[in-house]
Amino acid sequence: MQLKRVVVTGLGALTPLGNNVTNYWDALLKGVSGCGPITKFDATKFKTRFACEVRNFDAGDYIERKEIRKMDAFSHYAIAVCDEAVKDAGMLNNAAIDPDRVGVVWGSGIGGLRTFQDEVSAFATGDGTPRFNPFFIPRMIADIACGHVSMRFGYRGPNYTTVSACASSTNAIIDAFNLIRLNKADIIITGGSEAAVNEAGVGGFNACMALSMRNDSPETASRPFDKDRDGFVLGEGGGAVILEELEHALARGAKIYCEVGGGGMSADAHHITAPHPEGLGAMNVMKNALSDAEMPYDQIDYINVHGTSTPLGDLAESKAIVRVFGDHAYNLNISSTKSMTGHLLGAAGVIEGIAAILAVKNDIVPPTINHFTDDPEFDPKLNLTFHTPVKRIVRAALSNTFGFGGHNASVIFKKY
């Protein structure tokens, strides 16, 4: 069958850098750090006492007060970003849109962690009587956010959540892309949300030695590719992307940001938390994305890397890029926006995908900040876009995300 073409017609973002797409993008280009001391709980006794938190967010701006308590924060975030994206795409009260042909495919690596923590803690410290909140399960389950979004707008197309740790929302985007090009839907709202800045989230990642412990300088703690990187910085928030079949978008006069070129997936099959040391899974997933897009490797101009600021991960990814792109690797701009946003876990892929989309649309590459000391293990010819944004023609951008368990997903956005 002839596959449909898929374009991006709307965006929404809620990040530690800004609570909408415009503010998020502006902060990326200015090289702003979204990191600071944790305010959502008393982190005094934790090894890591900082994170990239969402600030000045009031769920009541989006949701009726009586409904807020029925949802975990990750669902609040999902509704907020989908509201922005749906409005941006001109979908509200649009007779040209068939609600039976609009789906929601969402990603979350953890889901309602705060809800789970609070309910189990209350039971453990009580008298043993099972007094659980009736909304405990509906608040916690990772699939509930896309359910809320579909009910909010009345969209009755495909509806589910992808869970692949930090690759979750990139997997969601790829699934949404495939559903549309296979003519299973006209429009998919896709992306992801995460709200893991709490005692269980910070304590759990501390226990597996994944987080930076640079408590004396939180704003410089996320330092991808730096010799002294010591772990990732936990972030929270979400993002939404409206994917739409090209002819459907043209027929209703929709604004088009870019086209989705293709997507790839792979597994490291190596370790529960560590990447393959030679970047084998990362290499395979980028090759798969390029093959799916039927795109020569030298048409990629920018890679938004997974780049978490971990000793093993950053190096493995850089090796994979050189192996996939050969000499063209040195013509690429490469950057890790996690240096500013921190790591949004299951929502990382979508907010980094939005950065890639806007790089393609605006022909400007956001930087990697917090670089202080070169690491001799990295290929010195790679252009890691340190400190300042770079203006250049971006014909196509590749966005990488890798998750615990060895899950890898990459998506390509190109000029329409």
Side-chain angles (χ1 to χ4, degrees):
M1 66 180 291
Q2 183 67 41
L3 295 175
K4 302 288 186 178
R5 292 172 64 185
V6 182
V7 293
V8 176
T9 57
L11 300 173
L14 175 66
T15 78
L17 300 182
N19 293 2
N20 56 54
V21 170
T22 298
N23 291 345
Y24 167 53
W25 180 242
D26 287 348
L28 284 180
L29 297 185
K30 291 174 182 174
V32 175
S33 171
C35 191
I38 290 171
T39 65
K40 299 201 166 186
F41 65 94
D42 181 1
T44 309
K45 296 181 180 180
F46 285 74
K47 295 176 183 177
T48 296
R49 298 186 289 278
F50 57 88
C52 288
E53 297 178 324
V54 166
R55 299 177 179 87
N56 303 315
F57 174 75
D58 184 354
D61 293 339
Y62 304 90
I63 307 164
E64 291 184 21
R65 292 289 173 185
K66 66 178 182 179
E67 298 298 316
I68 290 174
R69 66 184 183 88
K70 300 177 184 178
M71 305 177 197
D72 188 87
F74 92 104
S75 291
H76 299 160
Y77 297 166
I79 287 171
V81 297
C82 289
D83 269 16
E84 182 183 6
V86 166
K87 290 172 185 174
D88 185 43
M91 292 170 62
L92 292 176
N93 303 314
N94 191 324
I97 293 173
D98 177 359
D100 290 338
R101 296 277 299 173
V102 181
V104 185
V105 179
W106 207 245
S108 187
I110 297 179
L113 186 59
R114 164 63 70 182
T115 294
F116 187 86
Q117 172 190 292
D118 290 350
E119 290 292 320
V120 173
S121 178
F123 175 71
T125 56
D127 62 4
T129 303
R131 298 186 184 92
F132 288 92
N133 189 304
F135 296 108
F136 171 32
I137 300 301
R139 286 178 62 176
M140 177 199 73
I141 50 179
D143 67 292
I144 201 66
C146 60
H148 283 301
V149 172
S150 68
M151 289 182 276
R152 185 175 184 83
F153 298 107
Y155 296 144
R156 297 184 290 267
N159 189 281
Y160 61 92
T161 288
T162 55
V163 180
S164 49
C166 305
S168 295
S169 55
T170 302
N171 276 130
I173 292 169
I174 293 168
D175 274 15
F177 169 59
N178 285 330
L179 286 167
I180 294 171
R181 65 176 176 170
L182 290 171
N183 199 31
K184 305 295 185 183
D186 298 326
I187 300 174
I188 301 281
I189 305 170
T190 188
S193 56
E194 206 79 91
V197 180
N198 49 54
E199 294 90 336
V202 175
F205 283 115
N206 265 158
C208 60
M209 304 299 290
L211 296 183
S212 169
M213 292 184 279
R214 203 177 299 278
N215 293 297
D216 58 338
S217 183
E219 68 280 359
T220 69
S222 184
R223 46 179 74 184
F225 314 116
D226 190 88
K227 183 177 183 294
D228 298 317
R229 64 195 184 280
D230 70 328
F232 74 79
V233 174
L234 187 60
E236 62 173 357
V241 176
I242 306 298
L243 299 190
E244 187 164 356
E245 192 273 322
L246 173 60
E247 296 302 324
H248 188 274
L250 293 173
R252 69 180 188 90
K255 168 181 60 184
I256 295 176
Y257 284 92
C258 65
E259 185 170 357
V260 184
M265 294 172 278
S266 76
D268 278 10
H270 172 69
H271 189 272
I272 57 171
T273 57
H276 190 282
E278 298 303 315
L280 181 61
M283 181 174 66
N284 287 340
V285 77
M286 287 187 279
K287 285 182 176 179
N288 292 342
L290 288 163
S291 175
D292 187 52
E294 298 181 339
M295 182 179 291
Y297 64 86
D298 59 1
Q299 289 186 14
I300 302 294
D301 294 314
Y302 169 48
I303 301 179
N304 187 300
V305 291
H306 188 56
T308 56
S309 183
T310 57
L312 297 178
D314 293 4
L315 184 59
E317 187 172 10
S318 74
K319 289 179 180 179
I321 289 169
V322 173
R323 288 181 174 178
V324 171
F325 290 92
D327 288 342
H328 181 64
Y330 310 126
N331 300 323
L332 295 164
N333 275 92
I334 297 165
S335 72
S336 172
T337 47
K338 285 187 180 77
S339 60
M340 295 173 271
T341 65
H343 191 354
L344 271 65
L345 307 179
V350 65
I351 67 162
E352 291 156 21
I354 290 170
I357 289 164
L358 293 175
V360 170
K361 179 179 183 293
N362 298 308
D363 289 321
I364 187 166
V365 174
T368 305
I369 69 167
N370 294 335
H371 181 73
F372 304 99
T373 307
D374 289 342
D375 186 336
E377 292 198 71
F378 288 95
D379 189 325
K381 293 186 287 183
L382 288 175
N383 183 353
L384 301 173
T385 320
F386 291 130
H387 310 304
T388 56
V390 172
K391 292 184 179 180
R392 64 169 293 173
I393 300 298
V394 182
R395 295 166 296 171
L398 173 71
S399 181
N400 285 338
T401 45
F402 313 139
F404 279 6
H407 312 296
N408 307 307
S410 297
V411 61
I412 294 172
F413 301 100
K414 64 181 183 178
K415 285 195 184 299
Y416 166 65

